Amino acid sequence: MYNQDYTYRYRGGSLEANDPTYVWRAADDELYQELRLGEFCYVLTARQMGKSSLRVQTMNRLQQEGIACANIDLAAIGSQATPEQWYQGILFRLFRSFQLSEKVKWRTWWRDRSFLPVVQRLGEVIEGVLLESISQTIVIFIDEIDSVISIDFPTDDFFAFIRACYNQRADDSRYKRLSFCLLGVATPSDLIQDKRRTPFNIGHAIELTGLTLDKAKSKLSQGLVGRVDHPEQILANILAWTGGQPFLTQKVCQLVVENTKDSNPDVGAIIQTNIIENWEAQDEPEHLRTIRDRILYDKTKAVILLGRYQEILETTSSLKSDNSPDEIELQLSGLISTQNHRLTVANPIYQKVFNQDWVNKQLTTLWIFKDEGLSPEQTLEPEIPRNYTTKIILINLLLLIISAISLYLHYGPFLGEPRKLEFSDNTRFISGMIEFSRLVLLFIISSYMIYFVWRAKTIELCKSSSRKAVCFRWIAMVLFVVMLILSAFKDFVTVPNSLREKYPIEISIDNDFIEYILPSIVYFPYSCVIYLIIAVPFTLVSVYAVTDDLRNNWNRTIKFRRNIQDLLNKYSAIPKRLKSKSIRNRFSKYTLIFFNVASPYSTIFLGAQVLWLFESRFGMDTLTDSGRNLGLFTYSFCFIVMAIFILLFIQYQRALTIAVNALMCAEDEQVMDFRKHNQVSQLLARIIGSNINLILLGVIFTLTVVNSFIKLVGSL
């Protein structure tokens, strides 16, 4: 029959001395016997392993034998106390536990000895009050000893005092009646740094293991009787899932009782539904989150702990224990355990919750796997206005119409006799078409780059209040005025004077205006569109974008180098395997960002090559010298773009060298394959293979070279 009064205890802290669910372990007898013999003991293990319940049971057994016991919970004193208040808190707990307040007025006693250091006053209490007033054996339990880690003053003197009490046994036999038991979640090195003063090297460590079926079946199976057909078998199944972890075992037992729909429940399904699935939300009282928080508390140490834990997860056979600090820290978290000097995950529940996916997710959020200093600059990408593309096309069409009218009037009715003497009607038509085609090409290239590829940088240049943007806007205004003056001077002065010298004719002043000046006037709108609306904005935006990209990529390369150096030097304790992974991840992100930065320049290079081919083939056939000027410009522009590519790839090669050297330091066995796979030639191949522009560029570049070679041979 089901016992309705039986309740599994996993809420509310320590179990009472007579609690029916308390399961005895080897540690119970070991701690009891050692303290009876007057040994100094300490129980340092993970949270919710039953330390406080063990202390309650042991105190009860010792007190039944007439041993005087006191419990001091350091967490109750707090971490914000001053040294004076902290030691007074210990003194108060001692006086209350041993009922000494009636014999000694402890506040007065403490105040009268204020000339002594607080540790010495505590020693005087032990020697002058406790050992004098109490004739039995005395055991002082100090629980939550790890609380000393978070207080604002050093506590090495406190642990040295405990050791001094042990050493006093040689001089004062009364101290043989005094022993201490420390309990908490810490390593001895966390609590005291000076090994010469530590009490832990003269104390006895108590290992607190998980529950076993032999010890647990008489206690925990009682709550399953009447609910399941085979209580001991179900309990064995529960212990197999929990690894005997006391808190989890009691919790799963209660979950089985609450969720059993038949007499043969599926323990694994109950655990999956009520613990593993959505575990962060279901973890009440908090247990799994406590393990998580302890591992991830220190971001630098977390990388080391996760790396070591990952090795345990990935190893088919358990790893050999080496008692390293990271291994001890993982044991204190409760996540792993040691069995026969081999490391294993403490239980299947932990293995399913803190699995490989969880480890990888945590690693990607930690410093060495984040792209700190490598992310593209956080430029707020402006939203594309409604009908943005349509408006750009309409504006370009309007400018093309204005230019077409200008070219038609210039090469048609307003050409003038001097120009007619040099070109036939057919040649004039071809020249006009060449100039119009050039304009279309320039509009396509500049509009695509300014209004789409560099849209964010264009808006930044126009609106930003930064010194660089303001400086560029002033340059734009000056350049605009200069180009306007130069264009006007060329069209209205230089070109007419050149035609007068080349084709002098006897004409009147009015006819001079018609023959020499008027053709320049109708051609001037086309010049303004070419030089002021296309050349000036495109030049300024491209220079602004190029300098920004080069500077940002240079800074990313420097930050990449610094982060890699920090990884190798500052975080030397990180496992080499994780270092290699971090280096590779960082370089992959660097390469991806570099790829995104370099790719737009392929479009510019393509446009420059198209113009180069166009000008070298047709540019000199126009009636003006614009073909020569733009031909020289496109040649120069191609070399500039090539120089930008070279500078970018120099930066990439530098980052690759840094990564390769770092992998060598991390003793990466595949460093040569890494170098081969990430060479500049390989990156270029990937850029070309993923960008149709560069495939077209290769074709056009080949045609340009062939065309130039044919012209060279023809001139010879």
Side-chain angles (χ1 to χ4, degrees):
M1 180 180 292
Y2 174 60
N3 184 358
Q4 295 182 347
D5 295 330
Y6 190 96
T7 304
Y8 291 102
R9 315 284 185 181
Y10 65 96
R11 300 177 187 269
S14 308
L15 300 181
E16 295 178 1
N18 59 350
D19 195 295
T21 67
Y22 184 81
V23 178
W24 287 72
R25 290 172 280 182
D28 287 85
D29 289 329
E30 184 181 4
L31 180 60
Y32 168 69
Q33 294 296 342
E34 293 295 331
L35 291 176
R36 281 184 72 240
L37 295 174
E39 294 296 327
F40 162 67
C41 298
Y42 57 93
V43 186
L44 302 179
T45 189
R47 291 204 179 279
Q48 297 174 318
M49 278 294 292
K51 295 183 299 297
S52 296
S53 297
L54 171 65
R55 190 259 312 158
V56 171
Q57 296 292 331
T58 305
M59 278 185 65
N60 183 57
R61 293 175 70 184
L62 292 172
Q63 286 171 339
Q64 287 179 359
E65 291 194 7
I67 297 175
C69 297
N71 175 47
I72 301 173
D73 187 343
L74 294 184
I77 299 177
S79 60
Q80 303 301 317
T82 64
E84 182 88 7
Q85 293 170 333
W86 194 76
Y87 280 96
Q88 278 185 340
I90 294 174
L91 182 67
F92 173 73
R93 297 291 297 184
L94 288 175
F95 270 70
R96 190 173 70 172
S97 298
F98 293 122
Q99 298 178 354
L100 297 174
S101 299
E102 295 179 0
K103 298 179 181 180
V104 179
K105 295 182 179 180
W106 70 270
R107 287 190 179 88
T108 304
W109 187 97
W110 184 268
R111 194 182 311 114
D112 290 344
R113 290 161 179 78
S114 60
F115 60 92
L116 295 175
V118 286
V119 178
Q120 189 173 351
R121 275 184 267 175
L122 182 60
E124 290 294 319
V125 169
I126 297 294
E127 183 173 339
V129 179
L130 257 65
L131 294 178
E132 286 291 330
S133 302
I134 302 173
S135 58
Q136 312 102 287
T137 299
I138 301 171
V139 177
I140 299 175
F141 292 86
I142 303 178
D143 207 350
E144 301 291 345
I145 192 66
D146 48 292
S147 298
V148 302
I149 299 174
S150 59
I151 61 179
D152 295 332
F153 55 88
T155 55
D156 281 13
D157 287 345
F158 174 71
F159 294 101
F161 156 74
I162 295 175
R163 182 186 177 94
C165 289
Y166 184 86
N167 294 337
Q168 281 287 94
R169 293 180 176 185
D171 300 318
D172 190 340
S173 60
R174 293 178 303 168
Y175 278 92
K176 293 179 181 179
R177 294 191 288 110
L178 174 67
S179 60
F180 291 85
C181 179
L182 308 185
L183 305 98
V185 186
T187 63
S189 60
D190 289 334
L191 301 173
I192 183 170
Q193 300 297 320
D194 191 345
K195 293 183 179 179
R196 296 170 300 177
R197 307 174 70 197
T198 178
F200 297 101
N201 55 14
I202 51 95
H204 185 86
I206 304 296
E207 183 180 1
L208 202 54
T209 58
L211 308 181
T212 62
L213 182 61
D214 290 342
K215 297 286 186 180
K217 62 184 180 181
S218 61
K219 297 279 188 173
L220 299 182
S221 61
Q222 295 179 29
L224 301 173
V225 174
R227 286 297 187 118
V228 299
D229 287 342
H230 305 285
E232 288 190 15
Q233 184 178 342
I234 295 298
L235 179 60
N237 199 358
I238 291 171
L239 290 171
W241 272 98
T242 65
Q245 208 285 336
F247 173 89
L248 275 181
T249 301
Q250 297 253 19
K251 181 175 181 178
V252 174
C253 285
Q254 186 64 31
L255 288 173
V256 169
V257 170
E258 293 173 354
N259 294 277
T260 296
K261 297 180 180 179
D262 53 47
S263 59
N264 188 26
D266 186 342
V267 174
I270 293 173
I271 291 173
Q272 182 70 32
T273 302
N274 295 277
I275 294 180
I276 297 174
E277 291 180 1
N278 196 21
W279 63 269
E280 289 180 294
Q282 294 196 107
D283 190 34
E284 293 294 341
E286 187 174 293
H287 175 71
L288 298 173
R289 284 178 291 171
T290 301
I291 297 173
R292 175 202 63 189
D293 294 343
R294 184 172 182 89
I295 292 174
L296 302 180
Y297 175 74
D298 185 326
K299 299 302 182 184
T300 303
K301 189 184 291 185
V303 177
I304 302 171
L305 298 179
L306 289 171
R308 183 64 168 164
Y309 178 62
Q310 194 174 51
E311 290 178 358
I312 298 171
L313 283 177
E314 293 175 349
T315 305
T316 53
S317 60
S318 55
L319 287 177
K320 186 177 181 180
S321 173
D322 58 8
N323 291 319
S324 60
D326 50 303
E327 179 185 309
I328 295 172
E329 187 63 33
L330 281 172
Q331 291 186 53
L332 282 177
S333 72
L335 189 54
I336 68 169
S337 61
T338 306
Q339 298 177 2
N340 299 322
H341 304 289
R342 312 292 294 187
L343 298 176
T344 59
V345 183
N347 57 63
I349 294 177
Y350 293 166
Q351 192 157 8
K352 283 186 172 292
V353 170
F354 304 106
N355 55 22
Q356 190 69 256
D357 290 340
W358 180 84
V359 173
N360 290 334
K361 181 181 178 181
Q362 302 310 313
L363 285 173
T364 57
T365 64
L366 295 173
W367 181 86
I368 70 163
F369 288 104
K370 289 175 67 176
D371 53 338
E372 183 181 14
L374 302 178
S375 300
E377 285 58 40
Q378 300 299 313
T379 303
L380 184 61
E381 188 71 16
E383 294 184 5
I384 299 178
R386 189 177 182 182
N387 301 323
Y388 178 79
T389 305
T390 304
K391 292 177 182 178
I392 296 298
I393 293 174
L394 290 176
I395 292 172
N396 286 342
L397 283 176
L398 178 62
L399 293 173
L400 282 173
I401 291 171
I402 294 172
S403 301
I405 294 172
S406 174
L407 290 173
Y408 168 75
L409 295 176
H410 176 262
Y411 285 102
F414 297 103
L415 182 62
E417 289 299 326
R419 292 177 174 82
K420 291 179 181 179
L421 294 175
E422 187 168 358
F423 292 94
S424 64
D425 291 342
N426 187 51
T427 305
R428 293 200 303 272
F429 173 77
I430 293 173
S431 297
M433 291 304 298
I434 289 172
E435 297 224 42
F436 184 75
S437 300
R438 173 195 296 143
L439 184 68
V440 172
L441 287 174
L442 288 172
F443 261 123
I444 292 173
I445 296 169
S446 62
S447 297
Y448 176 71
M449 295 305 299
I450 292 175
Y451 301 115
F452 294 96
V453 176
W454 288 331
R455 179 163 50 90
K457 287 186 169 62
T458 302
I459 294 174
E460 180 185 332
L461 175 59
C462 295
K463 295 183 177 181
S464 175
S465 58
S466 67
R467 183 180 300 178
K468 180 181 177 181
V470 172
C471 180
F472 265 79
R473 288 199 291 270
W474 276 103
I475 293 174
M477 288 188 286
V478 172
L479 191 59
F480 187 90
V481 173
V482 170
M483 292 299 296
L484 179 64
I485 294 172
L486 290 177
S487 297
F489 185 80
K490 176 180 74 69
D491 289 342
F492 299 134
V493 178
T494 304
V495 172
N497 288 342
S498 175
L499 290 172
R500 288 189 186 98
E501 292 177 3
K502 192 173 182 179
Y503 303 105
I505 54 177
E506 295 292 333
I507 54 176
S508 63
I509 294 177
D510 292 339
N511 286 337
D512 181 85
F513 174 80
I514 294 173
E515 299 295 337
Y516 294 105
I517 304 300
L518 187 58
S520 295
I521 292 176
V522 297
Y523 186 78
F524 188 66
Y526 172 79
S527 294
C528 289
V529 171
I530 284 283
Y531 294 109
L532 303 182
I533 297 178
I534 296 178
V536 171
F538 181 66
T539 301
L540 284 170
V541 172
S542 60
V543 171
Y544 186 86
V546 166
T547 55
D548 205 44
D549 285 340
L550 287 174
R551 177 179 59 83
N552 291 336
N553 200 67
W554 179 257
N555 290 337
R556 275 191 294 270
T557 305
I558 293 174
K559 290 175 182 177
F560 176 79
R561 174 177 58 81
R562 289 175 180 170
N563 290 340
I564 295 299
Q565 287 176 343
D566 285 345
L567 180 64
L568 295 176
N569 302 328
K570 194 181 298 183
Y571 305 100
S572 56
I574 295 172
K576 292 178 180 178
R577 181 175 57 86
L578 281 183
K579 285 184 181 179
S580 295
K581 183 177 180 180
S582 174
I583 294 165
R584 289 172 179 271
N585 286 352
R586 284 175 172 276
F587 188 77
S588 295
K589 291 175 182 178
Y590 178 92
T591 303
L592 179 62
I593 297 168
F594 180 88
F595 184 92
N596 293 332
V597 170
S599 292
Y601 293 96
S602 64
T603 305
I604 308 175
F605 208 4
L606 174 64
Q609 287 296 321
V610 171
L611 286 173
W612 188 359
L613 180 61
F614 178 84
E615 297 298 342
S616 62
R617 177 63 184 85
F618 304 109
M620 303 304 177
D621 296 332
T622 59
L623 297 185
T624 67
D625 59 357
S626 60
R628 187 182 303 106
N629 294 338
L630 287 172
L632 292 172
F633 171 76
T634 54
Y635 297 150
S636 303
F637 195 68
C638 282
F639 285 112
I640 291 171
V641 175
M642 289 180 67
I644 295 168
F645 260 83
I646 291 171
L647 288 173
L648 284 172
F649 278 101
I650 287 174
Q651 294 173 359
Y652 173 83
Q653 182 61 43
R654 184 182 181 191
L656 176 60
T657 302
I658 293 168
V660 168
N661 291 337
L663 287 174
M664 287 181 175
C665 292
E667 300 178 8
D668 192 302
E669 296 178 356
Q670 298 179 336
V671 62
M672 301 311 297
D673 291 338
F674 175 84
R675 174 187 283 174
K676 182 179 179 181
H677 180 72
N678 291 284
Q679 286 179 348
V680 171
S681 57
Q682 295 293 327
L683 180 61
L684 277 172
R686 292 202 295 271
I687 293 176
I688 292 171
S690 63
N691 197 327
I692 188 64
N693 287 346
L694 290 182
I695 298 174
L696 294 173
L697 176 62
V699 175
I700 293 172
F701 183 76
T702 304
L703 293 175
T704 304
V705 172
V706 171
N707 180 70
S708 301
F709 180 75
I710 292 173
K711 281 197 167 188
L712 178 63
V713 172
S715 64
L716 295 176

